[in-house]
């Protein structure tokens, strides 16, 4: 079975590309496990100093894969809880990686794709990219990714984005703090390279300790973080099997409006 990722190591840079362009790099349970393992391997590789995360094709990541959503809509709450905790493990792994991470945002990002961007230390995106936290349209919430998105854009912006499920552009993503820079598509690699050179110029131990410093000052302790992950996994599992969650998911999969949205 082909991998969902393409991984390269060159000149101290570990590059990880989500490699499912036919589905806009949407992720399923398999990709989540593969990406978690790939990040841990790069963290353990002494030759790698910097990790770059990107997508193949036109999108960064569309979030959840339709087939995966269909399976989880039919699964039990216990199975959904286990699934959500695996996603939480991925986000926690990326957020706490000891090496600096750059999100090379080559296109659109929705849901969990936005979560991946928020977990990276630096995020550079193309001007034409669109973003959205659209879970509420399905009767769900972006529970698992919420700690990282709120950390990136702040509680006030998160309320707006979580509640309205509004789709926004790269300029707005930069304004609210999801992206650090947005550039024309032809300048994306050059902009990422600028950040790579800046990171190469500083001490690798200092970078690691700087990341740990920010986590220690701004985020709760490890025990609290584990509790938050478990609570968020429980929340999304409960909503997926709820009447509203089932209606939202089935409406989305059936390409119709959910009953709370009224007639078009």
């Amino acid at each position: 079975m082909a991998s969902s990722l393409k991984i390269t190591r060159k000149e101290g840079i570990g590059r990880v590309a989500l490699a499912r362009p036919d589905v806009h790099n949407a992720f399923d349970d398999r990709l989540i496990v593969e990406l978690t393992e790939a990040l841990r391997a790069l963290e353990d590789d002494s030759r790698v100093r910097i990790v770059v995360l990107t997508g193949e094709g036109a999108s960064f990541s569309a979030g959840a894969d339709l087939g995966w959503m269909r399976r989880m809509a039919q699964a039990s709450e216990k199975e959904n809880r286990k699934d959500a905790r695996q996603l939480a493990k991925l986000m926690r792994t990326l957020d706490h990686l000891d090496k600096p991470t750059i999100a090379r945002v080559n296109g659109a990002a929705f849901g969990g794709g936005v979560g991946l961007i928020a977990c990276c230390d630096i995020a550079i995106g193309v001007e034409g990219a669109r973003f959205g936290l659209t879970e509420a349209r399905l009767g769900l919430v972006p529970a698992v990714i919420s700690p990282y998105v709120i950390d990136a854009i702040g509680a006030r912006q998160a309320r707006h984005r979580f509640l309205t499920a509004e789709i926004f552009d790269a300029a707005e993503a930069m304004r609210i703090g999801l992206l650090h820079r947005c550039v024309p598509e032809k300048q994306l690699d050059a902009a990422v390279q600028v950040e790579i050179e800046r990171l190469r110029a500083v001490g690798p131990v200092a970078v690691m300790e700087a990341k740990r410093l920010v986590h220690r000052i701004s985020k709760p302790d490890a025990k609290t973080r584990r509790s938050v992950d478990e609570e968020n996994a429980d929340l999304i599992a409960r909503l997926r099997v709820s009447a509203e969650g089932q209606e939202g998911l089935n409406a989305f999969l059936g390409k119709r409006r959910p009953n709370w949205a009224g007639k078009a």
Side-chain angles (χ1 to χ4, degrees):
M1 186 178 293
S3 172
S4 301
L5 307 173
K6 286 189 177 178
I7 304 167
T8 61
R9 295 172 172 86
K10 185 178 180 181
E11 298 177 347
I13 312 301
R15 298 181 187 270
V16 183
L18 308 181
R20 305 183 74 213
D22 53 320
V23 291
H24 298 280
N25 299 316
F27 47 76
D28 55 12
D29 47 355
R30 183 165 144 260
L31 185 148
I32 289 169
V33 170
E34 286 186 6
L35 184 52
T36 304
E37 292 175 349
L39 291 169
R40 287 175 171 167
L42 290 170
E43 185 171 49
D44 291 340
D45 189 339
S46 61
R47 300 167 297 174
V48 173
R49 285 188 57 186
I50 301 162
V51 176
V52 177
L53 179 63
T54 191
E56 286 205 328
S59 300
F60 180 77
S61 175
D65 176 82
L66 285 178
W68 181 43
M69 288 176 64
R70 188 173 287 108
R71 292 198 306 274
M72 298 321 297
Q74 298 169 354
S76 67
E77 184 171 345
K78 182 179 179 180
E79 290 170 320
N80 270 285
R81 185 180 299 113
K82 180 181 179 181
D83 177 83
R85 288 181 178 176
Q86 189 63 53
L87 178 60
K89 184 186 295 185
L90 165 60
M91 297 294 166
R92 188 69 63 188
T93 299
L94 179 56
D95 186 60
H96 282 73
L97 211 70
D98 271 341
K99 295 175 180 178
T101 54
I102 301 174
R104 177 189 177 276
V105 185
N106 57 299
F110 294 92
V114 173
L116 293 175
I117 296 168
C119 287
C120 288
D121 301 312
I122 300 167
I124 312 294
V126 295
E127 290 177 341
R130 297 195 307 160
F131 304 84
L133 295 151
T134 56
E135 287 85 347
R137 295 183 184 180
L138 309 182
L140 305 174
V141 295
V144 172
I145 65 173
S146 62
Y148 314 102
V149 175
I150 293 171
D151 188 50
I153 70 175
R156 187 65 172 168
Q157 288 293 338
R159 287 188 187 187
H160 181 198
R161 309 300 164 180
F162 288 8
L163 271 62
T164 65
E166 176 190 8
I167 294 172
F168 51 98
D169 62 18
E172 181 69 359
M174 186 171 70
R175 187 187 73 81
I176 65 177
L178 181 63
L179 295 179
H180 293 102
R181 289 182 64 191
C182 63
V183 298
E185 184 178 356
K186 291 182 179 179
Q187 297 178 20
L188 180 59
D189 286 329
V192 170
Q193 192 62 35
V194 167
E195 300 298 338
I196 287 173
E197 295 307 322
R198 287 172 175 164
L199 290 168
R200 279 177 168 155
V202 296
V205 174
V207 168
M208 178 181 68
E209 292 298 343
K211 289 187 67 169
R212 291 177 178 177
L213 172 64
V214 173
H215 282 130
R216 187 167 67 249
I217 298 300
S218 67
K219 299 187 178 183
D221 59 54
K223 182 177 180 181
T224 303
R225 287 195 297 266
R226 286 193 297 272
S227 177
V228 168
D229 281 348
E230 291 177 2
E231 289 172 3
N232 285 339
D234 290 348
L235 172 59
I236 192 60
R238 176 166 53 82
L239 290 178
R240 283 180 185 171
V241 300
S242 70
E244 184 170 297
Q246 288 286 296
E247 167 63 12
L249 287 165
N250 287 324
F252 178 73
L253 295 170
K255 297 182 180 180
R256 61 175 176 81
R257 291 168 68 85
N259 56 22
W260 63 76
K263 294 183 180 179

